[in-house]
Amino acid sequence: MLTLENISKTFNPGTVNEKKALSGLNLHLDKGEFVTIVGSNGAGKSTLFNAIAGSFYVDEGYITLGGRDITFLPEHKRSRVIGRLFQDPLRGTAPHMTIEENLALAHQRSSKGAAFSRISKKDKEFFREKLRLLDMGLEDRMRQPVGLLSGGQRQALTLLMATMEPPELLLLDEHTAALDPATAEKVLQLTREIIDGNKITCLMVTHNMHQALELGSRTLMMADGKIVLDVSGEERAGMKVEDLLERFRAGAGRELDNDRILLSE
């Protein structure tokens, strides 16, 4: 479904700031797989997502999605089939537009409808039904600007916008990390329900080691722009956080030294 073949990316090549962010990385996801990713800062997690989403073109290698070569497909065209959420709840929505208008834009983009077309009565009812699933009362606030919502409400809305028409691939880049624990758990539960209910293929970056093992069916660990651990099935089912740390040590040749990840144990 998604295949990355020997992709590499170096920023600022030939300068003192040269940084090899991805190095000969290979990855294949089957349709419907839900994969979690863990790694220290600078491991290449967000760079991997940027490469898949088309924020830049890779220096080497190929990327295919659903059997199509998207290596040099522009980002705006990839966004029609790839949904993405960021850590910052303020990204992904237009704060001065209403909830209804934000949903309309997402619906038009994913369904390839005409930009800025009139929001029909049928569209409004569709949006209202989707908002009810969030159980946050947003279906009664559709004419309010998104900027008035809390961080958790905006992140839940962004999740809904990214999956209103189920994408071929969903990228979740620590999308609950900036939320308070109760709100984060609510958004995470919504995430599970939407992914499972629509059988969406998903890659999720998390700093929480327990989440990495509990969610989905496969876990990757990254270091130095490479995947150093890839576990799934029965092997993953029996793993504990300590096992992940030991396997990381063996694959990366060093201890995992990210306090934020270690404190999430």
Side-chain angles (χ1 to χ4, degrees):
M1 195 278 173
L2 172 70
T3 299
L4 312 179
E5 185 177 347
N6 198 38
I7 64 168
S8 295
K9 180 64 181 180
T10 300
F11 293 106
N12 305 309
T15 72
V16 294
N17 295 318
E18 179 173 314
K19 167 67 176 177
K20 194 165 187 66
L22 296 174
S23 181
L25 187 146
N26 293 286
L27 176 64
H28 176 78
L29 266 66
D30 291 327
K31 185 175 178 60
E33 272 199 284
F34 183 179
V35 180
T36 57
I37 305 176
V38 181
S40 300
N41 292 337
K45 306 181 301 297
S46 292
T47 306
L48 171 63
F49 276 18
N50 286 334
I52 295 171
S55 301
F56 55 73
Y57 295 145
V58 294
D59 299 331
E60 301 174 26
Y62 301 92
I63 304 173
T64 60
L65 180 65
R68 304 185 307 277
D69 187 340
I70 63 169
T71 310
F72 298 107
L73 190 70
E75 183 174 19
H76 71 277
K77 292 187 176 180
R78 296 191 206 190
S79 70
R80 293 174 180 169
V81 293
I82 299 176
R84 187 175 184 183
L85 269 73
F86 299 87
Q87 179 176 335
D88 185 355
L90 302 185
R91 298 182 66 172
T93 53
H96 301 298
M97 297 176 69
T98 66
I99 294 173
E100 180 180 278
E101 289 167 340
N102 272 269
L103 289 170
L105 284 177
H107 185 48
Q108 289 161 5
R109 181 180 66 247
S110 60
S111 62
K112 302 179 183 179
F116 305 112
S117 62
R118 179 176 173 274
I119 304 174
S120 68
K121 184 177 180 180
K122 183 179 178 181
D123 289 335
K124 292 180 181 181
E125 186 53 39
F126 174 66
F127 298 157
R128 192 169 284 109
E129 288 176 4
K130 291 293 185 179
L131 287 167
R132 286 193 188 102
L133 299 176
L134 303 182
D135 193 26
M136 292 180 169
L138 298 184
E139 66 273 15
D140 299 321
R141 301 171 60 186
M142 287 175 55
R143 301 301 298 273
Q144 286 192 1
V146 167
L148 297 179
L149 302 182
S150 67
Q153 289 171 329
R154 285 185 71 163
Q155 199 69 308
L157 178 63
T158 305
L159 176 64
L160 181 60
M161 290 167 62
T163 58
M164 187 181 307
E165 296 292 334
E168 293 185 29
L169 178 68
L170 180 62
L171 304 176
L172 303 175
D173 195 349
E174 295 198 72
H175 70 303
T176 63
L179 307 178
D180 65 82
T183 306
E185 184 54 40
K186 171 69 173 176
V187 172
L188 203 58
Q189 181 59 35
L190 288 168
T191 302
R192 290 190 189 99
E193 293 172 358
I194 290 173
I195 291 174
D196 292 344
N198 294 282
K199 296 180 172 56
I200 298 173
T201 307
C202 178
L203 280 168
M204 186 183 96
V205 170
T206 177
H207 69 276
N208 187 301
M209 302 280 277
H210 291 289
Q211 283 183 6
L213 289 173
E214 292 170 359
L215 295 172
S217 58
R218 181 178 171 193
T219 296
L220 310 177
M221 295 191 78
M222 291 186 65
D224 304 320
K226 300 177 181 178
I227 295 171
V228 297
L229 176 65
D230 184 347
V231 291
S232 59
E234 292 184 6
E235 179 185 17
R236 178 181 183 266
M239 292 187 76
K240 298 180 179 179
V241 171
E242 294 77 11
D243 300 320
L244 268 184
L245 294 173
E246 179 58 36
R247 292 290 297 276
F248 177 87
R249 186 182 304 114
R254 66 173 187 273
E255 302 281 349
L256 181 66
D257 57 1
N258 187 293
D259 291 339
R260 185 173 171 219
I261 294 176
L262 294 175
L263 289 172
S264 73
E265 290 184 54

